Amino acid sequence: MNLLAIETATEACSVALIHGDEVVARSELAPRRHAERVLPMADELLAEAGLGRHALDVIAVGRGPGAFTGVRLAVSLAQGMALALDVPVVTVSSLAALALEAPDDGDDTDAILAVIDARMGEIYAASYRRDGEGGLVALDHERVCTADALVLPEAGAWQVVGSGWATYESVLGEKLGCAPRFADGARYPQALHVAELAAREFKAGRAQAPELALPVYLRDKVALTLVEQGKA
């Protein structure tokens, strides 16, 4: 299987390639430079593997939630490449990809809170636990809300990853009910994990036609009005 993954939903721009049993990835923090960097990064990975784009079997993409322009870019690129190559697409939650940034220390009972700063006083959040086979089990649903309004499932121990922790650590810490066993607000969704999750979906026959690969924004509004800015 040759699978190319793209993830640009946050400040991190990343691509990954599964080529047989090998997995290689590129990632860099490139705010506002995703459109400039993502295709060259993908071509670098393909060149290193000695592959042309026509050798790809499937395109995987982080479908959001995240920054509107970043999510739209990744899904548009995935659709365009897949249509040109006549291959399917697998979409993966960017929050699920972020959750796999939590350390895998063999304790699959830990709950993982993946939380992205959504700006405008809100967060994107979802909770998971590892399934013991490299994947995730969702403990709740993806949502956009304020940190104060976040309701979490009960868990004996938590790991927290994502920029939402960096912005709202004190509020989220209270929501957890206990000190997290691990927390890092400088983690971002990565194409490496998009690729890992997508490979499972592809092997299970759950790829989609390119035109059915849709972004997930969770909200339609991308900016505050002047009045709302004054109240914030």
Side-chain angles (χ1 to χ4, degrees), residues 217-228:
Y217 298 118
L218 293 186
R219 72 178 178 202
D220 298 322
K221 197 169 187 178
V222 297
L224 294 173
T225 65
L226 291 175
V227 173
E228 290 168 331

Side-chain angles (χ1 to χ4, degrees), residues 94-159:
S94 295
L95 285 169
L98 174 59
L100 287 182
E101 280 288 290
D104 183 6
D105 56 10
D107 189 347
D108 297 326
T109 62
D110 279 8
I112 303 170
L113 172 61
V115 56
I116 297 171
D117 185 352
R119 313 302 181 192
M120 295 166 50
E122 293 181 318
I123 55 174
Y124 299 120
S127 303
Y128 305 88
R129 66 170 175 80
R130 294 181 182 272
D131 66 4
E133 298 178 353
L136 295 166
V137 176
L139 301 180
D140 52 20
H141 60 281
E142 299 177 344
R143 66 274 205 198
V144 58
C145 63
T146 64
D148 285 316
L150 182 66
V151 177
L152 294 174
E154 292 186 7
W158 283 94
Q159 299 184 60

